[in-house]
Amino acid sequence: MTIDIKVPVLPESVADASIATWHVKVGEQVTRDQNLVDIETDKVVLEVVAPADGVLSSIIDEEGATVLGEQVIAKFEEGADASKAKEQSAPAAEKTSSNKGESVEIKVPVLPESVADATIATWHVQPGEAVSRDQNLVDIETDKVVLEVVAPADGTLSDIIAQEGETVMGEQVIANFKAGAAPAKADAPASADNDASGAESDALSPSVRRLLAEKGIDAASIKGSGKGGRVTKEDVEKSLSAPSKAAAPAKATDVAPALSGERTEKRVPMTRLRKTIATRLLEAKNSTAMLTTFNEVNMKPIMDLRKQYQESFEKRHGIRLGFMSFYVKAVTEALKRFPEVNASLDGDDICYHNYFDISIAVSTPRGLVTPVLRDCDTLGMAGIEGGIKALALKGRDGKLSMADMQGGNFTITNGGVFGSLLSTPIINLPQSAILGMHKIQDRPMAVNGKVEILPMMYLALSYDHRIIDGKESVSFLVTIKEMLEDPTRLLLDV
């Protein structure tokens, strides 16, 4: 019997997760409750175990892929053995061998009209390395999006023409690929040290490799706590938080000599996306009269409402009811009442927008992006949840286009998923305001002369004081607070 292997239900404040490490390969025999894959969220690593004795028949999402709660990521054959799995996979192998020896050019995808060129960000495959069809070969970075170029068939990457960091144009040839070619095997007498380092590199998940590269850390210097001694993301973060542990046992008199050998630096050029983010944030700080006002909201009414209707909502609409739909709905209604917040400056003119396109700030390993949910005033709660999920899936697959991120009248950013209690978000130009949501935390509050423990969340509204006065900004934020504390107001428009 075939069983779907799914991502566990994610915590309410977590939008998506990443495939960290597959511990089992396709066709490999496993036992009930054996760990199949580690899935990383912003806070925890979730283990997905085998539902029974059997064989992993296929992997849908590879390591490094972004996934959503309850998404199918693999197929499992209950009671099957490895020999049957190999027999089942044999026809597929024969099909891919039909193009054996065919040489294929790997090109840069067609770039959006507003993008002149791009940069080779990361080659995930080296010349001579065997790859499977649709495996990611290279990440190509533009000012806003990262494009993935995948293998056209099973085969081998012959050579790389454009190296990492090079600027390339649309449809430019950047590598050559040989379909169906077998990889060149390393000579047997290779040293044990080289074998060990190669195995260690293969054991690292993409997220761990990325973090090691960003921080300039050698994987060999970290003791892994994962299966088979693998280095996990937590191991890297622990080594960053306690960099002096290795030198701790040394005597006080030996501290100076020990540190002298550890003081290294690594200089890495900024990516195109990071340069764009830096430029835009600096421009927002220098070209606007930015001010931030704060408030707090009792989230208990929304949490109770979600608990009451979550199951029936999901059955009717086929999607989970999250917090973001309430946030977007409340912001949209508040924008209708305060048109100054839904406006932008164009030279000496104020441009009032009569539509409601909301940008949703999303943090990625390469930086911040703000895909836009359009015409929010025409969407119900299910429509908003579906729109956000569609944008999340595009982000997961690296398919966010320039059109998905251009425009937007107002931005919502949720630092609460990372544990932020309070912050002052920076305006997303040319918009005039941005709303920051934060961590929901139980706090003692005075209610009718009595102290109650309530789930509270701070709100922060940063706005351009040149166009929005204090009265409008505070009233706008209070309106959002009132709607979130009494969700029926969203339905009754009161």
Side-chain angles (χ1 to χ4, degrees), residues 83-256:
S83 61
K84 289 182 180 178
K86 289 179 181 178
E87 290 173 5
Q88 293 171 355
S89 63
E94 291 173 5
K95 290 179 183 178
T96 58
S97 65
S98 61
N99 295 325
K100 186 173 182 180
E102 180 185 350
S103 182
V104 182
E105 291 180 337
I106 303 299
K107 297 182 179 181
V108 177
V110 176
L111 300 177
E113 292 181 1
S114 59
V115 177
D117 54 25
T119 302
I120 302 294
T122 307
W123 279 103
H124 297 290
V125 178
Q126 297 303 315
E129 188 174 338
V131 296
S132 57
R133 181 184 179 88
D134 295 330
Q135 181 177 336
N136 186 20
L137 300 177
V138 59
D139 291 340
I140 298 178
E141 195 170 39
T142 69
D143 291 337
K144 271 293 183 183
V145 294
V146 176
L147 308 172
E148 291 185 351
V149 180
V150 301
D154 294 348
T156 304
L157 191 68
S158 305
D159 64 286
I160 294 174
I161 299 172
Q163 299 295 331
E164 292 181 2
E166 289 190 24
T167 300
V168 292
M169 311 297 290
E171 299 187 273
Q172 177 179 330
V173 178
I174 55 175
N176 290 310
F177 181 88
K178 186 164 288 188
K185 293 186 178 179
D187 295 335
S191 69
D193 290 342
N194 290 338
D195 290 343
S197 62
E200 182 179 342
S201 176
D202 292 340
L204 299 178
S205 69
S207 60
V208 173
R209 285 197 294 269
R210 189 184 305 118
L211 186 58
L212 288 170
E214 289 176 356
K215 304 300 181 182
I217 301 174
D218 183 4
S221 65
I222 301 175
K223 184 178 180 181
S225 61
K227 183 179 179 181
R230 294 185 180 188
V231 176
T232 66
K233 192 175 181 180
E234 287 72 23
D235 296 330
V236 180
E237 290 172 346
K238 285 180 182 177
S239 71
L240 292 172
S241 62
S244 60
K245 282 187 177 179
K251 295 180 182 179
T253 55
D254 296 331
V255 169

Side-chain angles (χ1 to χ4, degrees), residues 235-407:
D235 296 330
V236 180
E237 290 172 346
K238 285 180 182 177
S239 71
L240 292 172
S241 62
S244 60
K245 282 187 177 179
K251 295 180 182 179
T253 55
D254 296 331
V255 169
L259 287 176
S260 63
E262 299 290 333
R263 296 171 64 84
T264 60
E265 292 182 355
K266 182 179 180 181
R267 188 178 296 271
V268 179
M270 293 175 70
T271 63
R272 293 172 65 96
L273 180 58
R274 178 53 58 187
K275 286 180 183 177
T276 303
I277 292 172
T279 301
R280 288 178 61 83
L281 292 179
L282 193 60
E283 181 184 356
K285 291 284 286 184
N286 293 339
S287 64
T288 64
M290 194 168 70
L291 190 63
T292 305
T293 184
F294 303 94
N295 215 314
E296 59 183 348
V297 57
N298 174 16
M299 295 297 291
K300 189 175 188 302
I302 287 180
M303 295 173 78
D304 290 344
L305 188 66
R306 290 180 69 245
K307 185 176 181 181
Q308 182 178 356
Y309 294 106
Q310 178 72 268
E311 187 175 346
S312 57
F313 183 90
E314 188 168 357
K315 285 182 179 178
R316 179 172 176 80
H317 300 291
I319 193 169
R320 296 182 75 245
L321 179 62
F323 285 115
M324 282 303 296
S325 54
F326 290 96
Y327 301 157
V328 172
K329 198 69 176 175
V331 164
T332 302
E333 293 303 318
L335 288 173
K336 291 179 181 179
R337 303 182 189 190
F338 299 93
E340 297 86 357
V341 186
N342 198 36
S344 60
L345 284 177
D346 184 8
D348 293 330
D349 297 330
I350 299 177
C351 182
Y352 292 93
H353 308 293
N354 60 357
Y355 51 90
F356 303 89
D357 294 349
I358 308 297
S359 302
I360 310 295
V362 178
S363 179
T364 71
R366 290 183 173 85
L368 188 74
V369 293
T370 53
V372 181
L373 189 63
R374 304 191 187 278
D375 298 320
C376 294
D377 56 321
T378 65
L379 301 176
M381 303 294 276
I384 292 173
E385 290 291 350
I388 293 173
K389 182 178 180 181
L391 291 174
L393 288 172
K394 280 189 174 183
R396 179 200 71 179
D397 298 333
K399 295 180 179 179
L400 281 172
S401 65
M402 293 298 293
D404 290 323
M405 287 181 287
Q406 286 178 333

Side-chain angles (χ1 to χ4, degrees), residues 47-109:
E47 291 186 350
V48 179
V49 300
D53 294 349
V55 173
L56 190 69
S57 55
S58 66
I59 293 176
I60 299 172
D61 291 283
E62 299 291 342
E63 293 181 357
T66 301
V67 292
L68 302 175
E70 300 185 90
Q71 178 179 323
V72 178
I73 56 175
K75 299 287 184 179
F76 183 89
E77 291 292 334
E78 182 180 1
D81 56 42
S83 61
K84 289 182 180 178
K86 289 179 181 178
E87 290 173 5
Q88 293 171 355
S89 63
E94 291 173 5
K95 290 179 183 178
T96 58
S97 65
S98 61
N99 295 325
K100 186 173 182 180
E102 180 185 350
S103 182
V104 182
E105 291 180 337
I106 303 299
K107 297 182 179 181
V108 177

Side-chain angles (χ1 to χ4, degrees), residues 338 340-341 461 468-477:
F338 299 93
E340 297 86 357
V341 186
L461 178 73
I468 304 170
D469 292 331
K471 178 185 176 182
E472 283 75 22
S473 64
V474 173
S475 300
F476 176 86
L477 197 56

Side-chain angles (χ1 to χ4, degrees), residues 28-40:
E28 188 172 338
Q29 189 84 32
V30 296
T31 57
R32 181 184 178 89
D33 295 331
Q34 180 178 338
N35 186 19
L36 300 177
V37 59
D38 291 339
I39 297 178
E40 286 183 350

